[in-house]
Amino acid sequence: MGAKSGNPRKNPVMRVERDGVYVAIASKGGAHDQPEWYHNFIAHPEVDLQDGPVRKTYRAEVVEG
């Protein structure tokens, strides 16, 4: 969901998964700011992820380190 608009957003991301846990790495190729979808995840952490034909709802959280 858009952080400001509340409208649904779709963003293709590279599949990074291990044992059913997905990681979305918010990077703009080394820039100091995050991509727009990062702010959407912070504002609306309930996200739908579709991996092939399977679509599930997950809760996004920021991890560091």
Side-chain angles (χ1 to χ4, degrees):
M1 301 296 275
K4 295 178 184 175
S5 70
N7 293 328
R9 298 286 183 235
K10 292 183 180 183
N11 295 297
V13 293
M14 183 176 74
R15 182 179 188 269
V16 181
E17 178 266 336
R18 182 175 179 177
D19 299 327
V21 176
Y22 289 86
V23 177
I25 301 170
S27 172
K28 286 175 69 177
H32 292 286
D33 57 340
Q34 293 86 8
E36 291 301 315
W37 60 262
Y38 169 84
H39 304 288
N40 297 342
F41 274 27
I42 298 300
H44 303 283
E46 295 266 327
V47 298
D48 290 331
L49 180 116
Q50 185 168 341
D51 187 358
V54 179
R55 183 176 178 169
K56 294 183 181 179
T57 300
Y58 293 86
R59 180 163 184 83
E61 63 182 72
V62 175
V63 295
E64 297 179 14

